[in-house]
Amino acid sequence: MRRYLPVARQHCVAALGGTSVVVKAVSGAVLLLYALSFALDTAYGLAVTPGFLFLPRCWLWTLLTHGLVERRAAGVALSLGTVAAAGRLLEPRWGALELLVFFAVVNASVGLLGAAAYFLTYAATFHVAYLFHVRIHGGLGFLAGVLVALKQTMGDSTVLRVPQVRMKAVPVLLLLLLAALRLATLIESPALASYGFGLLSSWVYLRFYQRHSRGRGDMSDHFAFATFFPEILQPAVGLAANLVHALLVKVRLCRKTVKRYDVGAPSSITISLPGTDPQDAERRRQLALKALNERLKRVEDQTAWPSMEDEEEEVVVKSEGPLLPEASVAGKASGHESSLITFEDAPSQP
């Protein structure tokens, strides 16, 4: 085990090298709390306990600290990998401050929604264990948020080639995997709850509330809630999502979609939605054209075009015959025509 420690340390330094102070601070906090967990019960005071979050105790600081608490080495590796990926892929686009805000919003939402879900479960079952024995902690909620953000920015990228899996399908596939592991009792319910609520809260934040140079939120069609589901389910999910969105607009929790029409465009009327990036739209258009060209090329290769040699031979055989009819045939034809057509003298004028 000791001989692998220098290699692991070298990989960690290489992954964190060049990142901002936010990524390094979050990674250092995860490592520090994991080291303290061998001597102290860090999950008790820093993880979200549903019974302690609400009145009368109100341990509100746990909403921000539970995402840093890990009690297993695998969880530490997953958290560090998630933070490093966010620093490499999201921080150059957003900036260090926005990445920190995203980390805080997702973790706070996961803690609040998870505690509310366990409180409702307690109200339905009256099992006190749901209030005081449950510990919501770990980096699965932030992992879901990073995957949703990558779906937004690079959803058409291919993650696996065999079988072909694109980035936009990864969040839901991982959710199904965690659900299967939970049914097999291989993971605890807080892990599945953290990932599920992280997926939902990160999408809501990126869809409606994130501020950037182009406005607020991302109302593009490729980032709609229905796109997280298979195509056969997207119409039904889209209808339900539109109803929920209309309800949230009425209670003023969400804003109505604003469309801007550029009637002064030289070619045609263009519609722009808040949050849509022209560079992302151009990138998706190029990818769509590339996929279309590849599909057309495969169709042309598979299609067997008929040979023109047979038609040329038929033309040659037909042309070998006489071009002018024989004399007897011509005479018969002229006689036949003369027997049918007669000419009469025109009557004289009075």
Side-chain angles (χ1 to χ4, degrees):
M1 184 64 181
R2 292 181 178 178
R3 62 179 180 178
Y4 293 108
L5 291 179
V7 179
R9 180 179 177 275
Q10 182 179 0
H11 284 290
C12 290
V13 172
L16 296 177
T19 57
S20 67
V21 65
V22 173
V23 176
K24 295 177 181 177
V26 172
S27 301
V30 171
L31 293 174
L32 178 61
L33 292 178
Y34 176 68
L36 292 176
S37 66
F38 291 98
L40 302 173
D41 188 4
T42 55
Y44 178 79
L46 299 178
V48 172
T49 303
F52 297 159
L53 183 63
F54 303 106
L55 293 175
R57 297 202 177 188
C58 289
W59 289 6
L60 298 180
W61 67 85
T62 58
L63 294 176
L64 299 177
T65 59
H66 73 91
L68 304 173
V69 178
E70 295 288 355
R71 294 189 291 184
R72 294 183 177 87
V76 174
L78 181 63
S79 296
L80 294 180
T82 303
V83 174
R88 289 288 186 181
L89 301 176
L90 299 179
E91 188 178 19
R93 302 174 63 93
W94 295 352
L97 180 59
E98 177 59 29
L99 182 61
L100 180 61
V101 171
F102 182 69
F103 179 81
V105 168
V106 171
N107 282 322
S109 301
V110 167
L112 187 60
L113 294 175
Y118 279 107
F119 186 81
L120 294 176
T121 305
Y122 162 75
T125 60
F126 294 102
H127 289 297
V128 183
Y130 290 115
L131 292 181
F132 301 104
H133 295 170
V134 172
R135 302 285 189 270
I136 301 175
H137 64 89
L140 281 176
F142 186 60
L143 172 62
V146 172
L147 293 179
V148 171
L150 293 179
K151 173 189 174 352
Q152 178 193 25
T153 57
M154 47 185 298
D156 296 327
S157 301
T158 302
V159 179
L160 294 177
R161 296 189 179 275
V162 181
Q164 187 175 15
V165 178
R166 297 189 181 274
M167 189 65 224
K168 60 184 178 181
V170 173
V172 174
L173 290 178
L174 187 53
L175 178 63
L176 295 177
L177 176 61
L178 292 176
L181 294 177
R182 175 55 190 162
L183 292 176
T185 66
L186 296 178
I187 61 174
E188 299 177 352
S189 60
L192 179 60
S194 297
Y195 183 85
F197 289 126
L199 191 150
L200 178 61
S201 60
S202 61
W203 176 80
V204 171
Y205 174 75
L206 295 174
R207 180 75 168 175
F208 301 106
Y209 300 106
Q210 186 187 38
R211 294 183 179 273
H212 41 72
S213 59
R214 302 178 306 277
R216 190 173 184 178
D218 184 1
M219 302 303 296
S220 56
D221 294 336
H222 80 281
F223 196 54
F225 186 72
T227 58
F228 285 88
F229 296 85
E231 294 183 359
I232 192 173
L233 300 177
Q234 288 184 7
V237 175
L239 178 61
N242 291 334
L243 294 176
V244 174
H245 179 257
L247 178 61
L248 295 177
V249 169
K250 287 185 178 181
V251 298
R252 297 183 178 181
L253 290 179
C254 292
R255 295 189 305 173
K256 190 176 181 180
T257 303
V258 179
K259 296 182 180 180
R260 300 181 179 90
Y261 298 87
D262 186 9
V263 295
S267 59
S268 61
I269 297 177
T270 59
I271 303 173
S272 61
L273 297 176
T276 55
D277 191 352
Q279 296 180 355
D280 291 341
E282 179 65 20
R283 177 180 56 83
R284 290 192 296 271
R285 189 179 71 86
Q286 294 294 336
L287 291 175
L289 290 176
K290 182 180 179 181
L292 179 60
N293 292 331
E294 293 178 354
R295 185 175 299 178
L296 291 176
K297 185 177 180 181
R298 289 196 298 267
V299 171
E300 291 177 357
D301 294 339
Q302 295 176 0
T303 304
W305 292 95
S307 177
M308 303 297 293
E309 295 180 357
D310 297 338
E311 296 182 0
E312 292 178 356
E313 291 179 357
E314 292 180 359
V315 173
V316 172
V317 171
K318 291 180 180 179
S319 63
E320 287 178 355
L323 297 178
L324 297 176
E326 295 180 357
S328 59
V329 176
K332 292 180 180 180
S334 61
H336 181 68
E337 291 179 356
S338 62
S339 64
L340 293 178
I341 302 175
T342 59
F343 295 92
E344 296 181 359
D345 294 334
S348 58
Q349 296 291 335

